[in-house]
Amino acid sequence: MALKIVKGSIDRMFDKNLQDLVRGIRNHKDDEAKYISTCIDEIKQELKQDNIAVKANAVCKLTYLQMLGYDVSWAAFNIVEVMSSSKFTYKRIGYLAASQCFHEGTDVIMLTTNQIRKDLSSPNQYDTGVALTGLSCFVTPDLARDLANDIMTLMSHTKPYIRKKAVLIMYKVFLKYPESLRPAFPRLKEKLEDPDPGVQSAAVNVICELARRNPKNYLSLAPLFFKLMTSSTNNWVLIKIIKLFGALTPLEPRLGKKLIEPLTNLIHSTSAMSLLYECVNTVIAVLISLSSGMPNHSASIQLCVQKLRILIEDSDQNLKYLGLLAMSKILKTHPKSVQSHKDLILQCLDDKDESIRLRALDLLYGMVSKKNLMEIVKKLMLHVDKAEGTTYRDELLTKIIDICSQSNFQYITNFEWYISILVELTRLEGTRHGHLIASQMLDVAIRVKAIRGFAVAQMATLLDNAHLLTGNTQRNGICEVLYAAAWICGEFSEHLEDPMQTLEAMLRPKVATLPGHIQAVYVQNAAKLFATVLRKHDGETESQAAQETSQLLIDRLPLFVQSANLEVQERASCILQLVKYIQKLQQKNVEVAEEVTALFAGELNPVAPKAQKKVPIPEGLDLDAWINEPPSESESEDEKPKAVFAKEEPKHSRSRHTEVDEKELARRREVRKQEQANNPFYIKASPSSQKVYDAPGVEHIPVVQIDLSVPLKVPGMPMSDQYLKLEVERRQKEKAERKKKEKKKKREKRGKERKADSGPESEEDITPAHQVDIVTEEMPENALPSDDDDKDPNDPHKALDIDLDKYVPYCRHLQFIHVLHIVYDIQGNHQDESKVVVSVIFENKSDSFLKSMEFNVLDSLNSKLQRPEGAGAHDSLTVPFQLPPGQDTHAFLFVSSVSVSIVAVCIDCFLMQSDESSTHEKLDFKLHFTCTSYLITTPCYSDAYAKLLESGDLKGSSLRLEGINMPFHHLLARICFHHHFSVVERIDSCASMYSRSIQGHHVCLLVKTTVSIDAKCDEPSLLGNVLDEIKQTFSKC
Amino acid sequence: MQFMLLFSRQGKLRLQKWYVPLSDKEKKKITRELVQTVLARKPKMCSFLEWRDLKIVYKRYASLYFCCAIEDQDNELITLEIIHRYVELLDKYFGSVCELDIIFNFEKAYFILDEFLLGGEAQETSKKNVLKAIEQADLLQEVSPALAKQNVPLFVTV
């Protein structure tokens, strides 16, 4: 035997430790996987040893391998073994391994509950520390439920080291077990004023995290945090508090007003960039929430913008980035203050850091106005040209389009310019965004009627120069624009100067190399063009041109008929046959133009992308209901023949649509128009912005002559610049004219009041170059106006939305009208089991200062107040603080007590009315010591539990709960939490639970899903009381 | 903070700490993706990037990248501060720390991190207190073997 031990320990000398493993892996770079698999085999051997040191070493190595990506879940039980070691060295390693390897699905976590509870109450603070740290990583809903009470107790531990950890981990517990928030909250709040700065900052952290998710429940803490903010000097804490205020102010604007001053002071005084940044962000958030009716805060905005400018000008890339980020927040509400820094933002476009350039781009998006749009886009176009790397260039491209198209093309005064920009963008090589450009072209051409003539001319040029775009079709997404070009030319072909030429361009053999969907559009629109050509030559007898066109189609279309793409092939062969037929008619000199045009008559209206989604479901329509009963799946073989021979049922239903005549249709249309006019949700065709153009008269607006000084046909030449120049000239001219008029007016008004100089051009002064009608997209009738913002139902923070100002139902409340409000809670004392702790919160409800309070407790046989040493048996206990009006605070009393009882307490309050006079009031009340206060959550293993039940010492009783409809695990959680039980075992529909009183009485429960509880206890009176209390708890819900 | 990763210039993971429950598969995916993204960035670029719905804050010390994921409303600069503070702590503890210290004593690196952050929040802002707690806990532990050193210290080449 001895020899075996010696041999064993010699073997151990050759075990690898972690360093050896790491070294080994580094030395086996070539066959790492093989080396590690032998190591894992060794580890498996080591784990079989009884020696805990060997096991811990093995677990330590496994933790390292886990980081390298190897699966170590098979060793979960060994990790629990190492965690349970009594030696700190090994415990520490065990908990580390657990926190790295365990997750919610790890089933051995169930086994750890009791071990963790033991470690939490260990006299060694470092045992408690590692347990808390580990728990923070792998806490599950079950662990949270079972340990919430223990951790709550630790929040009032004597050592700040434990307190701060306990406070921080409570946040994780709340997330997993939201029911614990309400009872824990008073204690958490109290920790905000903990003497230890670490604990205080932990409490601030937790409340800040909670409040960020559900701010409205924490508004009442604002005064306390305000006090902390003005007194604290710890930047870490300040940042959190300021962030918290940022979350609160949107709910309480008055708070915002109060905050501005201390925040601006901090902005001026602090040297810490992180704090400065947080302050600026919160000031911005505050100002956003105050944005209406607060004219006096332009100074604060100016201050923020100034500080941000300093950040952006800094050489530190990080500050530059954050400065731009914060600037974009200001932009949303105070665009004017940011716009004056346009130069700086444009400079950032030249930065070598791409992420900074992208931020600057984001800012530019919000900075454009009618006045500067062209100029900004021009700058961006320059950047597009010199940008290296396609990703950034593509980003620029999308941004240009975003900037121009934002809010329904609000800032575009000259659509010819915009079309030219789009055409220029098509020359970008290798961009992925051909589709985007194409959709813009379509959008503008469809919705801006006045621009169609120009757009069609440009598109015709594009089609003519298609070879420039299709240089490399494989990776060139730009050919998508040809799709748009072909469609626009076809649809609005009446604007084409030379449709024949365009038609010819669309039928070139090279087209067959384009992607299928584009070819299909080409073919279809060639037919439209064909109709236009015919119409143009309508009336000319034996028109040569018309016949030539037919011949052209007949010659070229067969190429498409052979296309591999079904769509192309089908369209081409249809149209080919049509044209052949028309040709026949033409040869007989039949007038065909009108009929062919009729094929493509009518105008397409733009439909909003969300239109379909917004069609309200008519009343009485159930989309989920079956129209026909689904065939039953159990249909057996011999039933089938029956169905075959079944008589067909007579059908009476006829299509409803057939009988609607023209008149009826017209009537309905009228009714619908009426409805639309009265429906506030229906978006009408005339936009409500400054641009109200008389919609019905669109056709009569003369389309401005295309300025032929702009060279349309030179594809390589950027044209948008010319528009910029023209635009500037135009504006100057307009301005001059306006000034002239003004002068005239002034002259007329001479002698009257002097008008101030009109100053720089304001937004409204810029008139668009064209009278344009931007057609709004159609929406269905009765469309709902807003999108419902669907919140994630799985968000864990949702469950924490608990109104904490409501009375805590689990504590008892006493209210002495006008003077004092008392909340108290009684719990067994973990350190000394013969005592219970009464935590009391006093709130001064009166208007006077509460100078002092004295507790007088009438000791009884069963309970005794724990008095300071040396005090007499009847001395009163002075509460060690004073209470200003409206404030509350917390105190502890220790009471030695042994059974359920009622303790009579009398409080002497000395209220101070003024400096001299004071009154004295005596308040009597009783503390009800419930049984639950005497129960202590105690783990129990199932074998011990079985033995206990078998012993026969226990008396039984049972209880039925009526009207409970909550999930079983919630029910269990409630019993655990409110009555200090722990679950011993849960099998399907029932669970056994255990708890112990401070005097050592056992209480066992068997809870069934039928909500009946069988209970056994060795003290019958205790049992009866516990059951009564459980019944009470559930009657409240 | 959602998680913290330490990895080398070669993309080798040196330390990982997750403050949100995720499956191993998901963790591996995130790690791979982030290591690639961060290593691809040029040295002169700023330390922040937006990734999924999180913000990534990273900083390079010598051959090691420290990389943290924070939520949208969190403060980037204080996160940089946290990273820096952690490096300072490592430096104080190991005495001019280098990558090898973290590789060979990786459990110590975790212990220090756990004393500094808990559940993703800074639990102790005083360096002295953190080191004191670690030293006292170490006293309870049996003596560990001497440390091997041969690499460039992290902290000098900030």
Side-chain angles (χ1 to χ4, degrees):
Chain A
M1 183 67 197
L3 185 71
K4 209 174 163 190
I5 292 171
V6 171
K7 191 167 172 284
S9 60
I10 288 174
D11 278 352
R12 298 281 71 81
M13 282 176 65
F14 299 105
D15 276 351
K16 289 194 188 77
N17 62 16
L18 177 66
Q19 275 79 13
D20 298 329
L21 175 79
V22 175
R23 215 166 278 137
I25 293 173
R26 290 167 73 84
N27 291 337
H28 291 76
K29 287 222 167 77
D30 303 328
D31 52 346
E32 195 184 288
K34 198 177 147 214
Y35 177 75
I36 287 178
S37 79
T38 57
C39 287
I40 288 182
D41 287 341
E42 282 169 23
I43 289 172
K44 281 185 178 159
Q45 286 305 315
E46 286 164 31
L47 286 175
K48 282 181 191 150
Q49 303 281 331
D50 284 332
N51 187 338
I52 191 72
V54 178
K55 270 189 191 162
N57 183 36
V59 163
C60 188
K61 288 192 281 186
L62 278 178
T63 316
Y64 188 81
L65 294 179
Q66 192 267 347
M67 184 179 70
L68 297 185
Y70 291 88
D71 176 38
V72 299
S73 54
W74 50 270
F77 186 74
N78 302 105
I79 293 175
V80 176
E81 280 182 311
V82 176
M83 276 164 75
S84 324
S85 159
S86 55
K87 273 203 176 143
F88 179 71
T89 320
Y90 308 135
K91 189 184 287 300
R92 203 183 189 187
I93 288 171
Y95 271 103
L96 173 65
S99 63
Q100 294 300 107
C101 311
F102 286 5
H103 48 83
E104 286 206 355
T106 310
D107 43 6
V108 292
I109 283 193
M110 274 165 25
L111 304 174
T112 58
T113 319
N114 295 331
Q115 180 59 41
I116 295 172
R117 180 172 284 135
K118 211 174 108 193
D119 289 334
L120 288 182
S121 54
S122 158
N124 177 354
Q125 61 167 332
Y126 294 104
D127 281 350
T128 317
V130 289
L132 284 173
T133 311
L135 193 57
S136 75
C137 292
F138 58 79
V139 62
T140 62
D142 283 343
L143 282 178
R145 180 198 67 205
D146 293 339
L147 298 171
N149 255 319
D150 303 71
I151 302 172
M152 252 167 78
T153 317
L154 290 180
M155 281 166 73
S156 313
H157 198 273
T158 49
K159 299 225 170 70
Y161 177 80
I162 300 297
R163 285 209 299 276
K164 82 185 173 208
K165 280 180 191 274
V167 168
L168 275 177
I169 199 183
M170 272 322 270
Y171 180 63
K172 297 275 164 188
V173 173
F174 296 151
L175 284 180
K176 299 287 177 190
Y177 180 50
E179 247 186 90
S180 59
L181 175 59
R182 199 189 282 276
F185 191 70
R187 208 169 284 189
L188 185 61
K189 196 170 141 192
E190 170 201 318
K191 294 296 146 208
L192 285 176
E193 292 175 297
D194 196 279
D196 183 86
V199 182
Q200 195 185 30
S201 108
V204 169
N205 272 343
V206 171
I207 292 183
C208 175
E209 286 303 308
L210 287 167
R212 256 160 65 171
R213 268 74 188 212
N214 302 297
K216 66 176 190 304
N217 302 328
Y218 301 86
L219 268 177
S220 61
L221 292 180
L224 183 56
F225 275 109
F226 199 80
K227 202 176 89 193
L228 278 177
M229 181 176 79
T230 41
S231 60
S232 176
T233 51
N234 181 337
N235 285 348
W236 301 71
V237 173
L238 276 175
I239 285 177
K240 284 279 174 185
I241 295 177
I242 291 167
K243 194 181 290 298
L244 173 82
F245 277 126
L248 293 183
T249 37
L251 302 169
E252 181 53 273
R254 282 174 300 175
L255 187 61
K257 285 180 199 170
K258 247 186 124 178
L259 277 173
I260 290 292
E261 202 201 318
L263 286 181
T264 35
N265 287 346
L266 270 175
I267 292 178
H268 279 299
S269 63
T270 185
S271 59
M273 279 298 172
S274 49
L275 183 57
L276 172 77
Y277 179 61
E278 196 63 53
C279 288
V280 169
N281 262 332
T282 303
V283 168
I284 296 168
V286 167
L287 290 178
I288 287 172
S289 66
L290 294 177
S291 56
S292 53
M294 294 296 291
N296 305 339
H297 288 307
S298 59
S300 321
I301 274 292
Q302 277 313 317
L303 176 68
C304 289
V305 174
Q306 264 170 34
K307 286 284 174 184
L308 290 179
R309 190 179 171 105
I310 295 173
L311 289 191
I312 297 173
E313 281 170 341
D314 199 290
S315 60
D316 184 344
Q317 299 289 63
N318 293 338
L319 297 183
K320 208 186 266 281
Y321 178 88
L322 294 178
L324 290 169
L325 199 65
M327 209 58 129
S328 64
K329 287 181 191 152
I330 299 187
L331 188 68
K332 283 183 195 125
T333 47
H334 300 78
K336 290 244 164 69
S337 351
V338 182
Q339 270 160 10
S340 53
H341 298 279
K342 198 177 69 196
D343 55 317
L344 185 67
I345 314 293
L346 283 171
Q347 251 174 47
C348 290
L349 284 181
D350 294 320
D351 200 282
K352 50 193 177 302
D353 183 347
E354 191 177 296
S355 39
I356 286 175
R357 292 198 300 257
L358 292 177
R359 280 276 151 248
L361 272 180
D362 277 347
L363 261 176
L364 282 178
Y365 173 79
M367 283 170 69
V368 289
S369 62
K370 281 186 188 160
K371 208 167 69 179
N372 62 17
L373 174 73
M374 285 181 160
E375 187 195 336
I376 287 183
V377 171
K378 186 187 166 191
K379 289 251 165 65
L380 291 179
M381 292 297 280
L382 284 178
H383 279 281
V384 171
D385 285 342
K386 61 183 181 186
E388 77 248 4
T390 45
T391 26
Y392 178 59
R393 211 173 47 183
D394 279 356
E395 188 63 33
L396 271 170
L397 189 154
T398 35
K399 265 285 137 37
I400 291 176
I401 289 179
D402 280 355
I403 285 174
C404 293
S405 63
Q406 65 178 308
S407 36
N408 229 351
F409 305 109
Q410 192 192 343
Y411 301 114
I412 295 185
T413 50
N414 187 335
F415 277 94
E416 286 185 13
W417 164 82
Y418 186 44
I419 296 269
S420 322
I421 289 283
L422 289 174
V423 172
E424 271 171 46
L425 287 175
T426 62
R427 297 194 193 116
L428 279 186
E429 252 174 65
T431 177
R432 291 180 293 115
H433 292 298
H435 187 73
L436 189 64
I437 303 176
S439 70
Q440 282 295 303
M441 287 172 167
L442 287 170
D443 209 19
V444 172
I446 295 170
R447 292 170 61 192
V448 187
K449 287 186 181 162
I451 201 66
R452 282 180 192 162
F454 180 78
V456 165
Q458 289 287 303
M459 294 304 120
T461 320
L462 263 185
L463 287 177
D464 219 19
N465 296 303
H467 57 279
L468 293 173
L469 300 178
T470 53
N472 185 354
T473 16
Q474 254 59 51
R475 54 176 191 89
N476 205 340
I478 201 66
C479 59
E480 283 291 328
V481 296
L482 293 175
Y483 176 96
W487 190 85
I488 292 170
C489 285
E491 186 66 23
F492 307 117
S493 50
E494 69 270 19
H495 298 288
L496 269 179
E497 267 184 33
D498 187 358
M500 187 61 192
Q501 192 196 349
T502 311
L503 183 59
E504 198 274 328
M506 279 166 70
L507 292 172
R508 282 178 200 153
K510 191 113 203 281
V511 173
T513 58
L514 289 173
H517 65 285
I518 299 180
Q519 286 186 52
V521 168
Y522 265 67
V523 171
Q524 184 72 14
N525 285 286
K528 290 184 197 166
L529 282 175
F530 175 57
T532 316
V533 175
L534 288 186
R535 196 180 173 78
K536 223 175 173 179
H537 300 286
D538 196 15
E540 304 168 22
T541 45
E542 278 190 45
S543 161
Q544 195 64 32
Q547 291 194 15
E548 269 174 23
T549 319
S550 309
Q551 195 52 47
L552 176 74
L553 281 167
I554 291 169
D555 289 346
R556 299 279 176 89
L557 279 176
L559 176 67
F560 297 101
V561 175
Q562 294 161 11
S563 169
N565 186 298
L566 272 184
E567 177 90 12
V568 181
Q569 193 196 43
E570 203 170 353
R571 282 176 195 251
S573 60
C574 266
I575 290 166
L576 183 59
Q577 292 312 316
L578 183 74
V579 177
K580 278 183 182 163
Y581 180 66
I582 291 169
Q583 198 183 31
K584 259 188 220 161
L585 291 176
Q586 278 175 331
Q587 281 157 1
K588 289 181 199 160
N589 261 337
V590 184
E591 290 282 318
V592 284
E594 202 168 316
E595 280 157 323
V596 177
T597 323
L599 281 176
F600 306 107
E603 194 166 319
L604 290 173
N605 284 331
V607 175
K610 285 180 187 160
Q612 179 64 45
K613 207 171 89 187
K614 299 230 166 174
V615 178
I617 298 174
E619 225 174 285
L621 175 66
D622 182 3
L623 288 176
D624 293 330
W626 288 96
I627 298 171
N628 295 314
E629 278 306 307
S632 66
E633 283 174 22
S634 59
E635 230 171 2
S636 59
E637 282 295 312
D638 44 327
E639 273 175 349
K640 268 187 182 166
K642 209 173 159 190
V644 169
F645 294 113
K647 274 181 194 167
E648 226 176 277
E649 281 187 31
K651 282 180 184 167
H652 291 295
S653 56
R654 227 183 301 157
S655 173
R656 288 182 301 147
H657 302 285
T658 48
E659 296 202 294
V660 183
D661 60 3
E662 271 299 301
K663 254 190 185 171
E664 173 68 11
L665 271 178
R667 196 188 60 80
R668 283 189 192 169
R669 210 170 292 137
E670 206 45 51
V671 169
R672 197 175 64 221
K673 271 191 188 157
Q674 198 66 34
E675 260 175 24
Q676 285 172 1
N678 296 333
N679 185 353
F681 297 135
Y682 185 78
I683 302 167
K684 283 145 203 133
S686 51
S688 55
S689 63
Q690 313 110 305
K691 275 189 195 156
V692 183
Y693 311 109
D694 43 346
V698 185
E699 273 76 19
H700 310 294
I701 297 168
V703 175
V704 173
Q705 280 290 308
I706 298 164
D707 193 336
L708 288 178
S709 64
V710 180
L712 293 180
K713 304 231 165 178
V714 186
M717 167 104 178
M719 301 173 294
S720 50
D721 290 359
Q722 311 235 2
Y723 281 100
L724 186 59
K725 240 186 256 166
L726 288 176
E727 180 73 14
V728 171
E729 280 168 20
R730 189 179 68 85
R731 279 184 198 170
Q732 276 169 350
K733 222 161 77 186
E734 265 179 25
K735 211 174 173 184
E737 273 169 23
R738 212 179 300 130
K739 266 199 183 149
K740 252 187 229 163
K741 275 186 202 161
E742 264 170 30
K743 265 185 198 161
K744 259 188 205 165
K745 270 188 200 161
K746 267 186 195 166
R747 238 172 273 148
E748 285 161 13
K749 280 185 184 174
R750 217 186 338 189
K752 289 180 187 172
E753 56 185 314
R754 270 253 154 122
K755 211 177 156 193
D757 192 38
S758 60
E761 236 176 332
S762 67
E763 275 289 276
E764 283 77 7
D765 290 342
I766 303 171
T767 51
H770 300 207
Q771 286 289 334
V772 286
D773 168 40
I774 301 175
V775 184
T776 322
E777 295 156 323
E778 279 190 353
M779 287 294 261
E781 299 163 42
N782 309 328
L784 302 166
S786 66
D787 290 289
D788 338 347
D789 50 345
D790 14 350
K791 273 191 177 171
D792 181 11
N794 295 327
D795 185 6
H797 303 290
K798 220 176 155 187
L800 286 181
D801 189 0
I802 297 169
D803 185 357
L804 297 158
D805 288 338
K806 275 195 192 156
Y807 286 155
V808 188
Y810 317 115
C811 296
R812 282 144 210 93
H813 293 267
L814 297 161
Q815 174 110 32
F816 300 100
I817 307 159
H818 306 315
V819 183
L820 205 57
H821 175 222
I822 296 176
V823 181
Y824 72 92
D825 182 31
I826 303 170
Q827 292 217 332
N829 186 352
H830 283 250
Q831 266 101 40
D832 182 348
E833 296 198 337
S834 65
K835 284 178 202 158
V836 288
V837 187
V838 184
S839 358
V840 192
I841 299 174
F842 300 95
E843 189 183 355
N844 187 351
K845 286 278 184 190
S846 69
D847 314 322
S848 338
F849 196 79
L850 196 51
K851 213 168 88 187
S852 70
M853 278 183 285
E854 280 178 8
F855 264 118
N856 278 304
V857 178
L858 205 61
D859 290 347
S860 66
L861 281 175
N862 292 329
S863 54
K864 218 178 211 169
L865 179 70
Q866 187 82 25
R867 294 184 170 83
E869 266 179 57
H874 301 288
D875 284 357
S876 57
L877 195 72
T878 311
V879 182
F881 45 76
Q882 300 183 327
L883 262 185
Q887 296 247 330
D888 52 3
T889 190
H890 206 289
F892 291 108
L893 297 175
F894 288 91
V895 180
S896 309
S897 178
V898 282
S899 83
V900 181
S901 55
I902 292 171
V903 177
V905 181
C906 165
I907 298 186
D908 285 319
C909 294
F910 294 95
L911 288 164
M912 201 149 78
Q913 240 92 34
S914 64
D915 286 344
E916 291 96 35
S917 71
S918 64
T919 52
H920 169 222
E921 264 183 74
K922 222 176 168 79
L923 310 166
D924 289 305
F925 66 96
K926 292 184 168 103
L927 296 175
H928 291 261
F929 283 58
T930 55
C931 300
T932 296
S933 348
Y934 301 99
L935 294 182
I936 289 181
T937 323
T938 321
C940 182
Y941 294 103
S942 50
D943 44 350
Y945 189 75
K947 242 179 228 166
L948 192 65
L949 288 179
E950 278 164 16
S951 67
D953 299 336
L954 309 182
K955 310 260 172 338
S957 175
S958 67
L959 171 71
R960 249 196 103 73
L961 296 169
E962 301 295 341
I964 305 287
N965 47 358
M966 60 169 82
F968 192 51
H969 64 275
H970 281 188
L971 183 102
L972 293 184
R974 247 170 212 259
I975 298 178
C976 285
F977 190 75
H978 299 305
H979 299 284
H980 308 174
F981 276 85
S982 62
V983 177
V984 179
E985 207 170 9
R986 187 180 156 185
I987 305 155
D988 300 331
S989 60
C990 60
S992 46
M993 305 176 90
Y994 175 80
S995 186
R996 194 172 59 93
S997 77
I998 50 175
Q999 292 138 301
H1001 295 301
H1002 305 284
V1003 190
C1004 306
L1005 299 183
L1006 182 71
V1007 188
K1008 293 180 185 147
T1009 39
T1010 52
V1011 208
S1012 67
I1013 299 175
D1014 291 317
K1016 283 191 168 179
C1017 175
D1018 45 8
E1019 169 65 46
S1021 64
L1022 179 68
L1023 181 64
N1025 287 326
V1026 168
L1027 287 182
D1028 282 349
E1029 278 166 28
I1030 291 179
K1031 198 170 178 180
Q1032 242 178 9
T1033 310
F1034 285 98
S1035 68
K1036 275 186 223 152
C1037 62
Chain B
M1 190 186 293
Q2 305 251 328
F3 55 84
M4 185 191 246
L5 301 174
L6 261 71
F7 50 87
S8 69
R9 216 166 34 179
Q10 291 78 33
K12 281 240 166 43
L13 195 59
R14 295 297 180 214
L15 188 140
Q16 54 171 350
K17 191 86 199 173
W18 300 83
Y19 298 110
V20 282
L22 288 172
S23 69
D24 283 350
K25 211 173 132 202
E26 184 72 6
K27 285 180 189 173
K28 270 187 202 165
K29 200 173 147 228
I30 291 175
T31 312
R32 206 173 329 118
E33 215 178 304
L34 269 185
V35 169
Q36 265 174 17
T37 327
V38 171
L39 288 179
R41 285 174 69 91
K42 299 191 185 80
K44 288 282 172 188
M45 286 174 112
C46 73
S47 302
F48 317 123
L49 57 130
E50 276 167 13
W51 178 83
R52 298 195 189 174
D53 54 346
L54 298 173
K55 296 193 285 195
I56 304 296
V57 178
Y58 71 92
K59 193 163 169 75
R60 190 181 146 179
Y61 287 88
S63 56
L64 263 190
Y65 284 87
F66 290 69
C67 173
C68 295
I70 54 173
E71 276 164 68
D72 186 41
Q73 299 135 313
D74 287 329
N75 187 321
E76 293 93 338
L77 291 174
I78 204 75
T79 312
L80 271 185
E81 189 81 6
I82 286 177
I83 294 177
H84 188 72
R85 182 64 61 97
Y86 180 46
V87 175
E88 281 181 318
L89 285 168
L90 289 172
D91 195 59
K92 279 253 171 62
Y93 182 80
F94 288 108
S96 76
V97 66
C98 64
E99 194 185 336
L100 279 184
D101 289 327
I102 295 170
I103 298 172
F104 281 107
N105 300 283
F106 93 127
E107 83 277 20
K108 295 279 191 229
Y110 278 115
F111 294 150
I112 298 171
L113 185 61
D114 286 341
E115 284 301 329
F116 177 43
L117 300 177
L118 194 134
E121 299 286 336
Q123 62 166 312
E124 183 56 71
T125 53
S126 143
K127 267 180 275 181
K128 217 172 71 191
N129 285 354
V130 176
L131 289 172
K132 209 174 80 189
I134 284 288
E135 275 159 25
Q136 302 226 321
D138 279 349
L139 282 183
L140 293 171
Q141 194 167 341
E142 284 144 20
V143 196
S144 60
L147 310 172
K149 318 207 133 249
Q150 35 200 281
N151 211 347
V152 196
L154 280 184
F155 200 48
V156 183
T157 47
V158 173

